[in-house]
Amino acid sequence: MSDPGNYAGSADRSIGQLVASATAEMSALVHDEIALAKAEVRQDVKRGAIGSGAFIAAGVLLLFTMPMLSFAAAYGIHNLGLGLAWSFLIVAGAFILLAALIGFIGLRKFKKIKPPEKSIASAKQTAAVLQKAKPHPRPSIAADAIIERSGSSLAKKSIESGSGKDAGKGKADAVARSST
């Protein structure tokens, strides 16, 4: 079985374990949100490709078949007894209607493309939770303690050279210089 101290509800976990667990969970959350966004975008790209294909098919249909079929249909209508000019107008109108129908199908496919709503909602929810989280207040540490821990001789010399009112300012400046 597993160690009872390693599950999320354990009160005996150290701060390091809690931080590691929180980091792992945040990483998993970010990875899951990225995967969700990819899936939604992939679906919309597929819809866009189908819509583009329909527009391309309509263009190819108009471009390559119109001259050949127009002449054949117009001369066929002319053989039925209608004037040649009217025959050509009827055929051109039929091809325009067919192209409009295919273009309408392509437009409907494009209108189905939506933003990745689930990913946006999930990201907003995560941001709202993270905005409510407040960091732990850190205890203030005196400048002398920081300098002693850093072991910086340059900071110690600059503090020793400062005196009077400016001594506090010198300590702060020395800490800032030694930490950079």
Side-chain angles (χ1 to χ4, degrees):
M1 288 235 164
S2 65
D3 182 18
N6 287 335
Y7 69 92
S10 175
D12 297 336
R13 296 175 71 187
S14 69
I15 293 175
Q17 289 173 329
L18 291 173
V19 169
S21 175
T23 303
E25 289 175 11
M26 284 298 292
S27 177
L29 176 66
V30 169
H31 285 291
D32 289 346
E33 286 188 11
I34 290 171
L36 176 63
K38 282 182 181 179
E40 288 180 338
V41 168
R42 191 177 299 124
Q43 183 180 15
D44 286 341
V45 166
K46 184 178 177 182
R47 287 181 183 153
I50 291 171
S52 296
F55 277 126
I56 290 170
V60 168
L61 179 69
L62 283 175
L63 186 64
F64 292 121
T65 62
M66 189 173 281
M68 297 299 281
L69 294 176
S70 294
F71 280 108
Y75 280 110
I77 293 172
H78 177 66
N79 284 339
L80 294 175
L82 203 57
L84 193 58
W86 286 109
S87 300
F88 275 101
L89 283 175
I90 291 171
V91 171
F95 280 120
I96 289 172
L97 287 176
L98 184 60
L101 176 67
I102 293 172
F104 176 72
I105 291 170
L107 185 63
R108 278 190 19 203
K109 290 293 182 182
F110 272 123
K111 284 187 176 182
K112 286 185 180 179
I113 296 174
K114 297 179 263 180
E117 294 169 356
K118 292 177 185 175
S119 296
I120 291 170
S122 177
K124 285 181 181 179
Q125 199 174 37
T126 302
V129 168
L130 291 177
Q131 284 178 352
K132 292 177 184 176
K134 299 201 190 280
H136 265 323
R138 297 180 183 213
S140 61
I141 300 173
D144 294 332
I146 294 173
I147 293 169
E148 288 299 322
R149 270 196 252 154
S150 71
S152 170
S153 60
L154 177 64
K156 288 178 186 177
K157 286 179 186 176
S158 65
I159 290 175
E160 290 169 0
S161 67
S163 62
K165 288 189 214 175
D166 294 332
K169 183 178 179 208
K171 286 181 183 180
D173 290 339
V175 169
R177 281 193 304 266
S178 68
S179 65
T180 57

